[in-house]
Amino acid sequence: MEMIDLRSDTVTWPTPEMRQAMANAAVGDDVYGEDLTVNRLQEAAAQRFGKAAGLFVASGTMGNLVSVLAHCTRGDEVILGDKAHTFVYEAGGIAALGGVNPHTVPVQPDGTLPLDAIRAAIRPDNVHMPRTKLIALENTQGTVGGVPISKAYTDAVGAIADDHGIPLHIDGARVFNAAAALDIDVAELTATADSVTFCLSKGLCAPVGSVIVGDQDFITRAHRIRKLVGGAMRQAGIIAAAGLIALETMPQRLHEDHANARKLAEGLAALPQIVIDLAHVQTNMVFFELRADVPMSAPELADRLRAYNINMMAMGERRFRAVTHYWITPEHIDHVLSAIKKELS
Ligand SMILES: *Cc1c(COP(=O)(O)O)cnc(C)c1O
């Protein structure tokens, strides 16, 4: 039996159709701008988001780094969430490589940053202070359960940014999950953002890559910075070919992953040994805990689940995160629920 891997949607393999397209991709030297498949992917991404241009990058981390460096220079400041991926999980790159100061604002349980806190974080024009040059949001907000951030909220932050002449960046690693959950077009959801990074390699199932979209000026600066950080690739059409299929075929099926997450969450909620907040299960992530009196730790249960061909990530002594994706079926969820029930009873 194959492994049921619920650790993350980053574990998704490319589909047979993607592998076929990769084998047959038209390629060229992308540093000369001559890779037809990369160009097609960048144009398709820009069009999908209603922005002027796109740039293919190696990872979401590179997409955020390049975007921040294209908006800010050394000594500038970016306002972002204290649980933002860019602040916590990108090795401090914006500071280490860009000299950009992160000014954090608390992420609320619903994934938003308080608007007042954003306003208060914007620096006045004062020679003592760094200059606020960017506001960055994350959608979905991973650390609070992969919750989608609404268009109304995004627009409200966009309006604050506009009032101060500051651009808005969205780390949209899973922005298509947000759009699917909110039942809104991704272009509409991110309309007030000046730049967006999204991952082809998570729920969209491509093996490698992310795309940044924004206006032409921004993408021109980002293109230069991508070279600076070593991200200019040559016959990158081999991987962009899978990205094109990801972009064209995967967003419209993400509700299936969300339904599977819901099914898992509701099944877990029915077990007396499990603590779970169903309200936070809105996309493809399920966070849950073992009740304090369960005589087993999360890592121990994770170990035992391996015997059922289930790979699930324990996050600390009591807590789990499970993520559904293309390769997880409703039957897998049934199998996972019965295995957990058996081990806990
Ligand atoms: C995965 C992720 C990224 C980028 O990660 P890479 O592994 O570098 O592709 C950025 N932001 C968020 C919110 C993510 O979940």
Side-chain angles (χ1 to χ4, degrees), residues 10 59-62 64 85-86 90 138 140 142 171 173-174 199 201-202 210:
T10 57
S59 66
T61 298
M62 182 181 282
N64 288 329
H85 194 279
T86 300
E90 295 176 12
E138 182 176 315
T140 63
D171 174 2
R174 296 190 180 85
C199 285
S201 61
K202 291 183 171 168
S210 286

Side-chain angles (χ1 to χ4, degrees), residues 79-215:
I79 296 170
L80 78 179
D82 63 350
K83 295 192 179 82
H85 194 279
T86 300
F87 183 57
V88 184
Y89 297 117
E90 295 176 12
I94 62 169
L97 304 174
V100 177
N101 206 32
H103 187 157
T104 60
V105 164
V107 174
Q108 305 298 103
D110 70 354
T112 64
L113 316 178
L115 295 177
D116 282 348
I118 293 176
R119 282 191 204 94
I122 296 172
R123 306 285 187 186
D125 185 10
N126 180 323
V127 72
H128 300 87
M129 294 180 176
R131 293 181 300 184
T132 306
K133 281 298 172 72
L134 183 64
I135 300 172
L137 295 178
E138 182 176 315
N139 199 4
T140 63
Q141 176 67 48
T143 42
V144 294
V147 294
I149 307 300
S150 72
K151 173 176 169 58
Y153 175 79
T154 306
D155 288 355
V157 176
I160 294 172
D162 257 4
D163 280 350
H164 293 84
I166 301 167
L168 171 65
H169 173 72
I170 294 178
D171 174 2
R174 296 190 180 85
V175 73
F176 282 104
N177 291 89
L182 299 167
D183 195 19
I184 185 176
D185 187 81
V186 80
E188 214 182 306
L189 179 58
T190 61
T192 44
D194 296 277
S195 57
V196 184
T197 304
F198 70 93
C199 285
L200 296 162
S201 61
K202 291 183 171 168
L204 303 194
C205 228
V208 181
S210 286
V211 182
I212 311 168
V213 294
D215 70 26

